[in-house]
């Protein structure tokens, strides 16, 4: 006997049209609160390391969001040394399955989800918990797709921002930022990351650099740094000299940051970690305690964030009959 296995396929463009920065921030915040309260199961993700200098990886990111009865997995690539013309992370997939019988019901293009829930999601949610409430100057180093997503969410979440300082090696990327956001906030563009960062209250670091481009000594008192590719592009001294260093999830970031083979020369240690964002969101660990603290946040992502955003996308696609339903049976 054959049973129908109906799966809704949702494309990258459809994903981008189905959720807003507000949706993503709310889903990500709720996910970190659930993480801190032990309501998420996400097995330790072991990357498949390969390629030049053992710096390319494929990784399965499964998770069970117990409060929402959602189970899923993201299959993602992150290639330090990528083939020409292909972004360092592209062509990723999210699979959602029914909790009651394990059958898949959605396959969603996940590169767009990753972009939104990273710089535009946990990078901003971390700032909501750990940056000064009086923050006025945001510096964004790296103005590609994720940088743009981050700017959109920061402008929504931090209406008190008065200046956006941007830095990117590509002049076209800087012009794109000015075109998209010039009517919303004062924008200054900088060729040098140090010039962009020194006055900033918040630094969003989202580059493809494989050596530090932002140094600890450039950070002013009270600065918050959201380092979304950990110490690929951020000075590892931040892990030792900042007043506080938070991970997103101790369980997953231990393997992808502390024990990442290509970061081994930096001698990163859990002894320097104050806590993780789940603990802060759940009220189990103090976040910012005064306006002079320099606080650094690094997180390499977790499948639970993608699944939480993917659930919103799937439900809206169902309501609006967007995507293509196929029968795998």
């Amino acid at each position: 006997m054959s049973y129908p296995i109906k799966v809704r396929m949702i494309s990258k463009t459809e994903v981008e049209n189905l959720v807003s920065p507000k949706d993503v921030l709310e889903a990500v915040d709720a996910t970190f609160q659930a993480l801190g309260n032990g309501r998420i199961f996400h097995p330790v993700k072991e990357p498949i390391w390969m390629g030049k200098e053992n710096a390319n990886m494929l990784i399965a990111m499964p998770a069970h969001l117990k409060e929402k009865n959602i189970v899923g997995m993201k299959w993602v690539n992150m290639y330090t040394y990528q083939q020409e013309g292909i972004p360092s992370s592209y062509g990723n997939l999210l699979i959602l399955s029914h909790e009651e019988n394990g059958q898949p019901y959605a396959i969603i293009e996940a590169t767009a989800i990753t972009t939104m829930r990273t710089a535009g999601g946990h990078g901003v949610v971390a700032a909501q918990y750990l940056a000064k409430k009086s923050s006025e100057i945001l510096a964004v180093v790296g103005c590609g797709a994720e940088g743009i997503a981050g700017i959109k969410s920061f402008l929504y979440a931090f209406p008190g921002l008065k200046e956006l300082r941007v830095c990117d090696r590509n002049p076209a990327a800087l012009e794109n930022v000015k075109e998209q956001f010039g009517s919303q906030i004062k924008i200054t563009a900088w060729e040098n990351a140090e010039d962009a960062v020194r006055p900033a209250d918040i630094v969003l670091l989202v580059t493809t650099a494989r050596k530090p481009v932002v140094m600890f000594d450039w950070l002013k008192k009270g600065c918050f740094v959201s380092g979304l590719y950990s110490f690929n592009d951020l000075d590892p001294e931040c892990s030792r000299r900042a007043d506080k260093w938070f991970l997103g999830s101790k369980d997953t970031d231990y393997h992808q940051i502390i024990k990442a083979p290509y970061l081994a020369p930096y001698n990163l240690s859990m002894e320097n970690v104050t806590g993780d964002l789940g603990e802060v969101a759940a009220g189990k660990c103090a976040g910012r305690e005064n306006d002079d603290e320099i606080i650094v946040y690094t997180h390499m992502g977790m499948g639970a964030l993608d699944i939480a955003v993917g659930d919103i996308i799937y439900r809206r696609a169902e309501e609006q009959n967007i995507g293509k339903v196929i029968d795998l049976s």
Side-chain angles (χ1 to χ4, degrees):
M1 181 179 293
S2 177
Y3 296 93
I5 309 173
K6 292 187 177 181
V7 178
R8 185 172 293 273
M9 311 284 289
I10 305 171
S11 73
K12 181 176 183 293
T13 300
E14 291 164 341
V15 166
E16 292 169 339
N17 291 328
L18 283 168
V19 287
S20 68
K22 179 177 183 291
D23 297 323
V24 173
L25 290 173
E26 290 177 351
V28 168
D29 189 7
T31 301
F32 276 108
Q33 291 182 43
L35 174 69
N37 287 312
R39 298 300 301 158
I40 288 176
F41 175 73
H42 57 152
V44 171
K45 49 185 183 178
E46 289 284 359
I48 303 171
W49 297 102
M50 65 197 103
K52 181 181 176 183
E53 297 181 13
N54 207 29
N56 293 344
M57 74 171 183
L58 280 162
I59 190 166
M61 300 170 63
H64 181 195
L65 280 61
K66 298 177 183 179
E67 291 177 338
K68 295 185 176 182
N69 304 317
I70 304 170
V71 183
M73 183 191 77
K74 184 170 78 166
W75 179 240
V76 60
N77 58 74
M78 296 182 68
Y79 272 45
T80 298
Y81 299 100
Q82 181 57 280
Q83 291 181 346
E84 186 175 352
I86 302 177
S88 59
S89 182
Y90 200 75
N92 304 309
L93 296 176
L94 178 68
I95 302 171
L96 301 179
S97 296
H98 292 292
E99 186 186 58
E100 61 270 23
N101 57 25
Q103 299 301 291
Y105 61 87
I107 298 176
I108 307 172
E109 201 286 331
T111 306
I113 296 176
T114 302
T115 298
M116 291 185 289
R117 70 83 162 140
T118 305
H122 69 83
V124 178
V125 169
Q128 289 177 306
Y129 283 106
L130 301 172
K132 293 185 301 185
K133 302 303 181 187
S134 59
S135 295
E136 296 183 346
I137 301 175
L138 167 67
V140 177
V141 182
C143 297
E146 288 199 6
I148 293 295
I151 292 169
K152 286 181 182 177
S153 290
F154 265 111
L155 293 181
Y156 168 79
F158 285 81
L161 288 173
K162 295 182 178 179
E163 182 182 0
L164 170 62
R165 302 171 71 88
V166 291
C167 178
D168 195 287
R169 294 183 302 174
N170 183 356
L174 298 176
E175 287 303 314
N176 182 39
V177 172
K178 291 178 181 178
E179 289 176 10
Q180 288 202 48
F181 305 106
S183 63
Q184 300 177 50
I185 190 171
K186 175 186 175 183
I187 299 175
T188 55
W190 305 86
E191 295 181 3
N192 186 293
E194 181 177 359
D195 293 334
V197 165
R198 278 198 178 273
D201 300 302
I202 299 172
V203 177
L204 176 66
L205 187 54
V206 53
T207 80
T208 57
R210 300 308 169 186
K211 62 180 181 180
V213 297
V214 170
M215 310 307 291
F216 177 79
D217 288 336
W218 303 349
L219 307 178
K220 73 176 188 180
K221 281 187 177 182
C223 183
F224 167 74
V225 180
S226 211
L228 300 183
Y229 289 98
S230 70
F231 301 101
N232 284 295
D233 52 6
L234 178 62
D235 183 1
E237 285 301 308
C238 291
S239 72
R240 292 176 277 271
R241 295 174 60 192
D243 294 291
K244 292 176 180 175
W245 171 30
F246 290 93
L247 301 174
S249 164
K250 288 179 180 176
D251 291 340
T252 62
D253 288 326
Y254 173 78
H255 293 272
Q256 282 196 274
I257 297 177
I258 308 294
K259 289 298 182 181
Y262 62 95
L263 296 177
Y266 293 158
N267 296 312
L268 303 171
S269 172
M270 285 296 290
E271 292 181 1
N272 298 123
V273 175
T274 305
D276 67 27
L277 192 57
E279 293 170 331
V280 175
K284 297 180 179 179
C285 177
R288 176 172 291 276
E289 296 180 281
N290 64 68
D291 283 353
D292 287 337
E293 289 179 317
I294 295 176
I295 298 180
V296 172
Y297 163 80
T298 59
H299 180 40
M300 292 299 286
M302 55 183 180
L305 300 175
D306 303 276
I307 292 164
V309 175
D311 175 60
I312 298 172
I313 291 166
Y314 169 74
R315 287 188 283 106
R316 290 189 179 162
E318 280 278 287
E319 292 168 1
Q320 301 173 38
N321 195 26
I322 290 173
K324 183 178 181 179
V325 177
I326 62 173
D327 188 341
L328 294 180
S329 62

